[in-house]
Amino acid sequence: MTKTKTKVLAIAAATVMTAGIAGAALSDLADYRRVEALDATSTAAYPFDNGANSFQNATIVNSSKGTEFNTLEITFDKVTDFTDVDYVAVQLNISKLGAGNTVSFGAGFFSQNMGGIVYWDTVDKNYGATSSVLFQTEDGKFNSAPLKANKTDSDLFYREGDNLVFSETAKGTLWIPTEALNKRGWDGGDLNNLDRTKIKSLYLIYNVASSYDWELQFGSIGVYDGEPDTAQMKYVADCTKGERRNGYFLGGAPQATVSFNSDKAMPKIPYAFAEGEDAFKNTVNWKPTAANETLTVTFDEATADLSDATHLLVQYFSTQAPRLQFTLSDGTKKSAIAASKRVFFMPMGANYSDWFVSTNASGFSFGTNKGMLMMGMVIVPIENLASGVNLTAVSSLEIKTGGATDVIIGGVASYTAERGDGAYADGTATKLLDLAASKFAKFTASAENTLTELQAKPNYNKMYGTSTTVTQDVTYTGKTYNSEWSGEEDQNTAGLIWIGGSHGKVEMTKDTYQQDALKFTATAATGNGYTSTQDLGSQYSWAGAKGITLWARNDSEIEVSFNLEVECTAVVSKSNGNKQAVSDRFNVTQGNRFYLYDVNTGKTSIYMTRPTVSLPVGFEGWVFIPFTAFNRASWSNNGVTAETFMGENSYVNYLALSIEAAKNLNASFSVNSFGAYYKTPKFESAFVNANGDSIPELMGLNAQEEN
């Protein structure tokens, strides 16, 4: 270590911190001595682990705006004798700057004194032009904190009054020399009674009216009895063996939260409920019509002991995006999921969950707007439900809706496992409501006629002919009126608009069978020349299908063409052995066969993609596009492959139709009944017999047309 000589003179009078603590008393005079001190030119070995995982066990502190002063106290592993301590090293990551692109706080140490509060303060505005408090980044570089009102480009952090102000995000170690500490006291604290042999904690104090919306991560804390190049660091708060989930106290206004990385860990919990054809036997379909309606699920036993459980598991399916609030009840008291806590979702067929949402006061929502698979189980950490309810005698789960919706709720289970790496593997699931037999009486809806029992997953599709061919009616926001767009409207309010696309128009029309259909027209070519209609259906399964079918009609005097983009969510095997659900986008690609069946001529034609799907002049009928004509978009690489595309347990989350505006300018075409076909049609002509597998025979269209 390179060292410099520094003369230290203790301050005779301490001042009130900028944080605003009233009643600060005079400090003692300290010794005048010469010491070997760290400064910005020093070189010393970085004291903690560095790199990507250096803060994996960190305590994460977030602050939002408030009106008062807050304190964060980090209690040491044990009360520590600071008599001979020269330096305290605090592993600190400024992971997010707050208001004014800064983080500002005062810091110090509490002593375990009786009566009042006495503490050591790290920053004294009278200390001089430079401070001996330093920040060492993980590359080993030391940074000093000059006293000033504003930062300069060379400052990583600086002192403003009594506070340390970080003006850049930084990951490293805060070095605090004990010789620079100033004794302070309030609430009757006796400054003569500061016991250096009983230092118990590090504290931060900050004004949430001016310093807020930041995130700090604290790792380990160590002390040195001597210079860092000669003394060995002793841990007083050790995060090297895991998270320190206890020993944190937030004082003042409640505008701060403490969390840990494992709170965000994706649970590795075995799927607890039936799969496949038996997945929805004895479940219930709940269709509340208004906000605050409730569904109460009473458990098999009068009470269940969840005091050792780590998670609550609920079987779930919905094609919508309901906002739900889960509440546990012990018959007397209730406890709802706390706001800002995470709720996880595991798709059926997976063994790993990497999907989660945060809750607010009204609960949580998994849905199409979040790109989430909707058939599986909801996973709620029990600790998110534990406040105010007797976990040894839980009797029911209450589910409250945020509005009208359609949701299926099935079995309920608890899961108990040891917290190891945050993944909760190798635990035990216990059924709280086992639907191996009918338990319809265990479900109670607050509104009449909103609850029915199911024996299988409901079929939201329209059937044409045999069960091997299923189509889905087109649905979209605003289906009852006509829409025009310029490519600039918000897609969520316009219903079908792709931001950044060309101008276009959608109108309501009728298909061959007098059902509502959508008529599209590109009205101007701007931007990148494409316009797109999105979300032509809810989430549904095309697992095991051969391709997409839709009804279409060319309403123009020229050939028209379009492409399809499908988002498929599939369960795939990852390199670590987990089966994980991921989503990717697929488009129709160049040079693949597709089928056209014209209902007016009765003829089937085979066309080639270019890479679009084209409709000849006068065409009206059915389009069959095999999944082999689709390929994953070059920018979408989450892990769904051609082999897993529309495979077992996969779902469609999104379907969009895009038009190259310049080639189709002012040309119109209509579509309806997007769906999937499960048996490859055979071409039939005067020379070839399809033996019952032609498109009209597979779909039963001949009978419909005769009627």
Side-chain angles (χ1 to χ4, degrees), residues 23-53:
L26 293 178
S27 65
D28 294 343
L29 286 174
D31 294 334
Y32 175 84
R33 56 184 177 137
R34 300 180 70 86
V35 298
E36 303 285 359
L38 293 174
D39 64 17
T41 66
S42 298
T43 57
Y46 187 77
F48 303 109
D49 291 337
N50 55 23
N53 297 321

PDB file of all heavy atoms in Angstrom, residues 23-53:
ATOM      1  N   GLY A  23     -30.790  18.620  18.884  1.00  0.00           N
ATOM      2  CA  GLY A  23     -30.193  18.418  20.201  1.00  0.00           C
ATOM      3  C   GLY A  23     -28.812  17.832  20.168  1.00  0.00           C
ATOM      4  O   GLY A  23     -28.391  17.157  21.110  1.00  0.00           O
ATOM      5  N   ALA A  24     -28.041  17.990  19.080  1.00  0.00           N
ATOM      6  CA  ALA A  24     -26.692  17.445  19.045  1.00  0.00           C
ATOM      7  C   ALA A  24     -25.839  18.125  20.099  1.00  0.00           C
ATOM      8  O   ALA A  24     -25.909  19.329  20.318  1.00  0.00           O
ATOM      9  CB  ALA A  24     -26.084  17.639  17.656  1.00  0.00           C
ATOM     10  N   ALA A  25     -24.985  17.344  20.765  1.00  0.00           N
ATOM     11  CA  ALA A  25     -24.155  17.886  21.845  1.00  0.00           C
ATOM     12  C   ALA A  25     -22.725  18.037  21.397  1.00  0.00           C
ATOM     13  O   ALA A  25     -22.306  17.533  20.366  1.00  0.00           O
ATOM     14  CB  ALA A  25     -24.229  16.963  23.057  1.00  0.00           C
ATOM     15  N   LEU A  26     -21.917  18.745  22.216  1.00  0.00           N
ATOM     16  CA  LEU A  26     -20.505  18.913  21.914  1.00  0.00           C
ATOM     17  C   LEU A  26     -19.787  17.586  22.035  1.00  0.00           C
ATOM     18  O   LEU A  26     -20.064  16.780  22.911  1.00  0.00           O
ATOM     19  CB  LEU A  26     -19.889  19.934  22.876  1.00  0.00           C
ATOM     20  CG  LEU A  26     -20.381  21.378  22.734  1.00  0.00           C
ATOM     21  CD1 LEU A  26     -19.717  22.227  23.794  1.00  0.00           C
ATOM     22  CD2 LEU A  26     -20.109  21.902  21.348  1.00  0.00           C
ATOM     23  N   SER A  27     -18.834  17.367  21.126  1.00  0.00           N
ATOM     24  CA  SER A  27     -18.051  16.136  21.189  1.00  0.00           C
ATOM     25  C   SER A  27     -16.826  16.346  22.070  1.00  0.00           C
ATOM     26  O   SER A  27     -16.446  17.460  22.401  1.00  0.00           O
ATOM     27  CB  SER A  27     -17.607  15.729  19.781  1.00  0.00           C
ATOM     28  OG  SER A  27     -16.725  16.695  19.278  1.00  0.00           O
ATOM     29  N   ASP A  28     -16.244  15.224  22.439  1.00  0.00           N
ATOM     30  CA  ASP A  28     -15.015  15.277  23.221  1.00  0.00           C
ATOM     31  C   ASP A  28     -13.843  15.689  22.347  1.00  0.00           C
ATOM     32  O   ASP A  28     -13.863  15.539  21.133  1.00  0.00           O
ATOM     33  CB  ASP A  28     -14.694  13.890  23.801  1.00  0.00           C
ATOM     34  CG  ASP A  28     -15.743  13.458  24.807  1.00  0.00           C
ATOM     35  OD1 ASP A  28     -16.496  14.328  25.283  1.00  0.00           O
ATOM     36  OD2 ASP A  28     -15.790  12.260  25.092  1.00  0.00           O
ATOM     37  N   LEU A  29     -12.824  16.213  22.972  1.00  0.00           N
ATOM     38  CA  LEU A  29     -11.569  16.401  22.269  1.00  0.00           C
ATOM     39  C   LEU A  29     -10.897  15.052  22.130  1.00  0.00           C
ATOM     40  O   LEU A  29     -10.901  14.241  23.049  1.00  0.00           O
ATOM     41  CB  LEU A  29     -10.663  17.359  23.036  1.00  0.00           C
ATOM     42  CG  LEU A  29     -11.054  18.838  22.979  1.00  0.00           C
ATOM     43  CD1 LEU A  29     -10.144  19.629  23.907  1.00  0.00           C
ATOM     44  CD2 LEU A  29     -10.967  19.367  21.568  1.00  0.00           C
ATOM     45  N   ALA A  30     -10.341  14.797  20.945  1.00  0.00           N
ATOM     46  CA  ALA A  30      -9.633  13.539  20.719  1.00  0.00           C
ATOM     47  C   ALA A  30      -8.135  13.813  20.699  1.00  0.00           C
ATOM     48  O   ALA A  30      -7.681  14.949  20.745  1.00  0.00           O
ATOM     49  CB  ALA A  30     -10.069  12.913  19.404  1.00  0.00           C
ATOM     50  N   ASP A  31      -7.402  12.739  20.619  1.00  0.00           N
ATOM     51  CA  ASP A  31      -5.952  12.868  20.621  1.00  0.00           C
ATOM     52  C   ASP A  31      -5.465  13.512  19.329  1.00  0.00           C
ATOM     53  O   ASP A  31      -6.037  13.335  18.260  1.00  0.00           O
ATOM     54  CB  ASP A  31      -5.296  11.494  20.759  1.00  0.00           C
ATOM     55  CG  ASP A  31      -5.586  10.882  22.104  1.00  0.00           C
ATOM     56  OD1 ASP A  31      -5.835  11.651  23.046  1.00  0.00           O
ATOM     57  OD2 ASP A  31      -5.562   9.647  22.199  1.00  0.00           O
ATOM     58  N   TYR A  32      -4.388  14.276  19.443  1.00  0.00           N
ATOM     59  CA  TYR A  32      -3.689  14.797  18.281  1.00  0.00           C
ATOM     60  C   TYR A  32      -2.577  13.814  17.970  1.00  0.00           C
ATOM     61  O   TYR A  32      -1.731  13.540  18.803  1.00  0.00           O
ATOM     62  CB  TYR A  32      -3.108  16.185  18.601  1.00  0.00           C
ATOM     63  CG  TYR A  32      -2.270  16.763  17.489  1.00  0.00           C
ATOM     64  CD1 TYR A  32      -2.855  17.433  16.433  1.00  0.00           C
ATOM     65  CD2 TYR A  32      -0.884  16.645  17.518  1.00  0.00           C
ATOM     66  CE1 TYR A  32      -2.085  17.985  15.420  1.00  0.00           C
ATOM     67  CE2 TYR A  32      -0.109  17.190  16.511  1.00  0.00           C
ATOM     68  CZ  TYR A  32      -0.711  17.856  15.468  1.00  0.00           C
ATOM     69  OH  TYR A  32       0.055  18.398  14.465  1.00  0.00           O
ATOM     70  N   ARG A  33      -2.631  13.224  16.784  1.00  0.00           N
ATOM     71  CA  ARG A  33      -1.631  12.206  16.481  1.00  0.00           C
ATOM     72  C   ARG A  33      -1.349  12.167  14.989  1.00  0.00           C
ATOM     73  O   ARG A  33      -2.139  12.631  14.176  1.00  0.00           O
ATOM     74  CB  ARG A  33      -2.108  10.832  16.959  1.00  0.00           C
ATOM     75  CG  ARG A  33      -3.460  10.399  16.391  1.00  0.00           C
ATOM     76  CD  ARG A  33      -3.910   9.082  16.993  1.00  0.00           C
ATOM     77  NE  ARG A  33      -5.229   8.712  16.503  1.00  0.00           N
ATOM     78  CZ  ARG A  33      -5.558   7.494  16.124  1.00  0.00           C
ATOM     79  NH1 ARG A  33      -4.672   6.527  16.177  1.00  0.00           N
ATOM     80  NH2 ARG A  33      -6.772   7.230  15.711  1.00  0.00           N
ATOM     81  N   ARG A  34      -0.215  11.575  14.643  1.00  0.00           N
ATOM     82  CA  ARG A  34       0.144  11.363  13.243  1.00  0.00           C
ATOM     83  C   ARG A  34      -0.155   9.914  12.912  1.00  0.00           C
ATOM     84  O   ARG A  34       0.178   9.012  13.665  1.00  0.00           O
ATOM     85  CB  ARG A  34       1.628  11.661  13.010  1.00  0.00           C
ATOM     86  CG  ARG A  34       2.007  13.111  13.346  1.00  0.00           C
ATOM     87  CD  ARG A  34       3.469  13.342  13.092  1.00  0.00           C
ATOM     88  NE  ARG A  34       3.799  13.342  11.660  1.00  0.00           N
ATOM     89  CZ  ARG A  34       3.709  14.428  10.887  1.00  0.00           C
ATOM     90  NH1 ARG A  34       3.283  15.555  11.375  1.00  0.00           N
ATOM     91  NH2 ARG A  34       4.039  14.372   9.620  1.00  0.00           N
ATOM     92  N   VAL A  35      -0.850   9.695  11.785  1.00  0.00           N
ATOM     93  CA  VAL A  35      -1.218   8.326  11.405  1.00  0.00           C
ATOM     94  C   VAL A  35      -0.873   8.089   9.946  1.00  0.00           C
ATOM     95  O   VAL A  35      -0.737   9.015   9.156  1.00  0.00           O
ATOM     96  CB  VAL A  35      -2.737   8.077  11.605  1.00  0.00           C
ATOM     97  CG1 VAL A  35      -3.123   8.229  13.058  1.00  0.00           C
ATOM     98  CG2 VAL A  35      -3.551   9.013  10.736  1.00  0.00           C
ATOM     99  N   GLU A  36      -0.719   6.836   9.630  1.00  0.00           N
ATOM    100  CA  GLU A  36      -0.608   6.433   8.230  1.00  0.00           C
ATOM    101  C   GLU A  36      -2.032   6.245   7.727  1.00  0.00           C
ATOM    102  O   GLU A  36      -2.749   5.373   8.222  1.00  0.00           O
ATOM    103  CB  GLU A  36       0.170   5.117   8.113  1.00  0.00           C
ATOM    104  CG  GLU A  36       1.557   5.167   8.718  1.00  0.00           C
ATOM    105  CD  GLU A  36       2.534   5.929   7.853  1.00  0.00           C
ATOM    106  OE1 GLU A  36       2.130   6.399   6.779  1.00  0.00           O
ATOM    107  OE2 GLU A  36       3.698   6.054   8.234  1.00  0.00           O
ATOM    108  N   ALA A  37      -2.497   7.055   6.782  1.00  0.00           N
ATOM    109  CA  ALA A  37      -3.908   7.039   6.394  1.00  0.00           C
ATOM    110  C   ALA A  37      -4.077   6.749   4.911  1.00  0.00           C
ATOM    111  O   ALA A  37      -3.242   7.128   4.091  1.00  0.00           O
ATOM    112  CB  ALA A  37      -4.556   8.370   6.737  1.00  0.00           C
ATOM    113  N   LEU A  38      -5.182   6.113   4.585  1.00  0.00           N
ATOM    114  CA  LEU A  38      -5.555   5.930   3.191  1.00  0.00           C
ATOM    115  C   LEU A  38      -5.949   7.266   2.588  1.00  0.00           C
ATOM    116  O   LEU A  38      -6.548   8.113   3.251  1.00  0.00           O
ATOM    117  CB  LEU A  38      -6.752   4.977   3.089  1.00  0.00           C
ATOM    118  CG  LEU A  38      -6.542   3.512   3.491  1.00  0.00           C
ATOM    119  CD1 LEU A  38      -7.881   2.783   3.461  1.00  0.00           C
ATOM    120  CD2 LEU A  38      -5.551   2.828   2.570  1.00  0.00           C
ATOM    121  N   ASP A  39      -5.585   7.458   1.323  1.00  0.00           N
ATOM    122  CA  ASP A  39      -6.093   8.606   0.596  1.00  0.00           C
ATOM    123  C   ASP A  39      -6.285   8.194  -0.853  1.00  0.00           C
ATOM    124  O   ASP A  39      -6.165   7.023  -1.206  1.00  0.00           O
ATOM    125  CB  ASP A  39      -5.179   9.823   0.738  1.00  0.00           C
ATOM    126  CG  ASP A  39      -3.793   9.599   0.133  1.00  0.00           C
ATOM    127  OD1 ASP A  39      -3.638   8.646  -0.661  1.00  0.00           O
ATOM    128  OD2 ASP A  39      -2.880  10.374   0.461  1.00  0.00           O
ATOM    129  N   ALA A  40      -6.624   9.171  -1.709  1.00  0.00           N
ATOM    130  CA  ALA A  40      -6.963   8.858  -3.097  1.00  0.00           C
ATOM    131  C   ALA A  40      -5.797   8.282  -3.878  1.00  0.00           C
ATOM    132  O   ALA A  40      -5.994   7.691  -4.944  1.00  0.00           O
ATOM    133  CB  ALA A  40      -7.498  10.109  -3.793  1.00  0.00           C
ATOM    134  N   THR A  41      -4.546   8.440  -3.375  1.00  0.00           N
ATOM    135  CA  THR A  41      -3.383   7.894  -4.078  1.00  0.00           C
ATOM    136  C   THR A  41      -2.989   6.520  -3.558  1.00  0.00           C
ATOM    137  O   THR A  41      -2.039   5.921  -4.053  1.00  0.00           O
ATOM    138  CB  THR A  41      -2.185   8.846  -3.933  1.00  0.00           C
ATOM    139  OG1 THR A  41      -1.784   8.898  -2.555  1.00  0.00           O
ATOM    140  CG2 THR A  41      -2.540  10.242  -4.426  1.00  0.00           C
ATOM    141  N   SER A  42      -3.717   6.021  -2.560  1.00  0.00           N
ATOM    142  CA  SER A  42      -3.347   4.752  -1.936  1.00  0.00           C
ATOM    143  C   SER A  42      -3.593   3.574  -2.860  1.00  0.00           C
ATOM    144  O   SER A  42      -4.428   3.616  -3.775  1.00  0.00           O
ATOM    145  CB  SER A  42      -4.142   4.550  -0.649  1.00  0.00           C
ATOM    146  OG  SER A  42      -3.864   5.557   0.300  1.00  0.00           O
ATOM    147  N   THR A  43      -2.855   2.516  -2.618  1.00  0.00           N
ATOM    148  CA  THR A  43      -3.096   1.235  -3.274  1.00  0.00           C
ATOM    149  C   THR A  43      -3.183   0.188  -2.184  1.00  0.00           C
ATOM    150  O   THR A  43      -2.282   0.050  -1.362  1.00  0.00           O
ATOM    151  CB  THR A  43      -1.972   0.876  -4.255  1.00  0.00           C
ATOM    152  OG1 THR A  43      -0.724   0.854  -3.561  1.00  0.00           O
ATOM    153  CG2 THR A  43      -1.919   1.872  -5.397  1.00  0.00           C
ATOM    154  N   ALA A  44      -4.282  -0.521  -2.179  1.00  0.00           N
ATOM    155  CA  ALA A  44      -4.479  -1.585  -1.198  1.00  0.00           C
ATOM    156  C   ALA A  44      -5.327  -2.661  -1.840  1.00  0.00           C
ATOM    157  O   ALA A  44      -6.142  -2.388  -2.734  1.00  0.00           O
ATOM    158  CB  ALA A  44      -5.160  -1.040   0.057  1.00  0.00           C
ATOM    159  N   ALA A  45      -5.145  -3.879  -1.409  1.00  0.00           N
ATOM    160  CA  ALA A  45      -5.915  -4.993  -1.954  1.00  0.00           C
ATOM    161  C   ALA A  45      -7.399  -4.772  -1.684  1.00  0.00           C
ATOM    162  O   ALA A  45      -7.790  -4.362  -0.587  1.00  0.00           O
ATOM    163  CB  ALA A  45      -5.444  -6.303  -1.334  1.00  0.00           C
ATOM    164  N   TYR A  46      -8.228  -5.031  -2.696  1.00  0.00           N
ATOM    165  CA  TYR A  46      -9.675  -4.900  -2.514  1.00  0.00           C
ATOM    166  C   TYR A  46     -10.118  -5.935  -1.482  1.00  0.00           C
ATOM    167  O   TYR A  46      -9.788  -7.117  -1.597  1.00  0.00           O
ATOM    168  CB  TYR A  46     -10.395  -5.098  -3.843  1.00  0.00           C
ATOM    169  CG  TYR A  46     -11.868  -4.810  -3.762  1.00  0.00           C
ATOM    170  CD1 TYR A  46     -12.333  -3.500  -3.738  1.00  0.00           C
ATOM    171  CD2 TYR A  46     -12.788  -5.846  -3.665  1.00  0.00           C
ATOM    172  CE1 TYR A  46     -13.687  -3.223  -3.642  1.00  0.00           C
ATOM    173  CE2 TYR A  46     -14.142  -5.576  -3.561  1.00  0.00           C
ATOM    174  CZ  TYR A  46     -14.591  -4.263  -3.548  1.00  0.00           C
ATOM    175  OH  TYR A  46     -15.931  -3.996  -3.433  1.00  0.00           O
ATOM    176  N   PRO A  47     -10.886  -5.544  -0.453  1.00  0.00           N
ATOM    177  CA  PRO A  47     -11.104  -6.440   0.683  1.00  0.00           C
ATOM    178  C   PRO A  47     -12.166  -7.512   0.485  1.00  0.00           C
ATOM    179  O   PRO A  47     -12.223  -8.473   1.263  1.00  0.00           O
ATOM    180  CB  PRO A  47     -11.527  -5.477   1.797  1.00  0.00           C
ATOM    181  CG  PRO A  47     -12.167  -4.339   1.085  1.00  0.00           C
ATOM    182  CD  PRO A  47     -11.405  -4.192  -0.202  1.00  0.00           C
ATOM    183  N   PHE A  48     -13.047  -7.372  -0.513  1.00  0.00           N
ATOM    184  CA  PHE A  48     -14.152  -8.308  -0.679  1.00  0.00           C
ATOM    185  C   PHE A  48     -14.091  -8.964  -2.055  1.00  0.00           C
ATOM    186  O   PHE A  48     -13.285  -8.592  -2.908  1.00  0.00           O
ATOM    187  CB  PHE A  48     -15.495  -7.584  -0.512  1.00  0.00           C
ATOM    188  CG  PHE A  48     -15.649  -6.879   0.803  1.00  0.00           C
ATOM    189  CD1 PHE A  48     -15.627  -5.492   0.867  1.00  0.00           C
ATOM    190  CD2 PHE A  48     -15.811  -7.595   1.976  1.00  0.00           C
ATOM    191  CE1 PHE A  48     -15.768  -4.831   2.073  1.00  0.00           C
ATOM    192  CE2 PHE A  48     -15.956  -6.944   3.200  1.00  0.00           C
ATOM    193  CZ  PHE A  48     -15.931  -5.567   3.246  1.00  0.00           C
ATOM    194  N   ASP A  49     -14.973  -9.949  -2.267  1.00  0.00           N
ATOM    195  CA  ASP A  49     -15.107 -10.541  -3.590  1.00  0.00           C
ATOM    196  C   ASP A  49     -15.576  -9.472  -4.567  1.00  0.00           C
ATOM    197  O   ASP A  49     -16.325  -8.561  -4.199  1.00  0.00           O
ATOM    198  CB  ASP A  49     -16.116 -11.691  -3.569  1.00  0.00           C
ATOM    199  CG  ASP A  49     -15.618 -12.888  -2.790  1.00  0.00           C
ATOM    200  OD1 ASP A  49     -14.387 -13.015  -2.642  1.00  0.00           O
ATOM    201  OD2 ASP A  49     -16.451 -13.695  -2.330  1.00  0.00           O
ATOM    202  N   ASN A  50     -15.143  -9.601  -5.818  1.00  0.00           N
ATOM    203  CA  ASN A  50     -15.639  -8.673  -6.824  1.00  0.00           C
ATOM    204  C   ASN A  50     -16.136  -9.455  -8.024  1.00  0.00           C
ATOM    205  O   ASN A  50     -16.020 -10.675  -8.090  1.00  0.00           O
ATOM    206  CB  ASN A  50     -14.572  -7.651  -7.231  1.00  0.00           C
ATOM    207  CG  ASN A  50     -13.288  -8.319  -7.706  1.00  0.00           C
ATOM    208  OD1 ASN A  50     -13.306  -9.466  -8.122  1.00  0.00           O
ATOM    209  ND2 ASN A  50     -12.179  -7.597  -7.634  1.00  0.00           N
ATOM    210  N   GLY A  51     -16.734  -8.746  -8.952  1.00  0.00           N
ATOM    211  CA  GLY A  51     -17.261  -9.402 -10.138  1.00  0.00           C
ATOM    212  C   GLY A  51     -18.772  -9.528 -10.105  1.00  0.00           C
ATOM    213  O   GLY A  51     -19.465  -8.903  -9.294  1.00  0.00           O
ATOM    214  N   ALA A  52     -19.302 -10.368 -11.012  1.00  0.00           N
ATOM    215  CA  ALA A  52     -20.745 -10.457 -11.230  1.00  0.00           C
ATOM    216  C   ALA A  52     -21.515 -10.897  -9.997  1.00  0.00           C
ATOM    217  O   ALA A  52     -22.659 -10.483  -9.780  1.00  0.00           O
ATOM    218  CB  ALA A  52     -21.030 -11.417 -12.390  1.00  0.00           C
ATOM    219  N   ASN A  53     -20.912 -11.743  -9.155  1.00  0.00           N
ATOM    220  CA  ASN A  53     -21.634 -12.293  -8.008  1.00  0.00           C
ATOM    221  C   ASN A  53     -21.239 -11.650  -6.681  1.00  0.00           C
ATOM    222  O   ASN A  53     -21.540 -12.185  -5.614  1.00  0.00           O
ATOM    223  CB  ASN A  53     -21.407 -13.803  -7.926  1.00  0.00           C
ATOM    224  CG  ASN A  53     -21.947 -14.530  -9.136  1.00  0.00           C
ATOM    225  OD1 ASN A  53     -23.011 -14.182  -9.642  1.00  0.00           O
ATOM    226  ND2 ASN A  53     -21.232 -15.533  -9.602  1.00  0.00           N
TER     227      ASN A  53
END
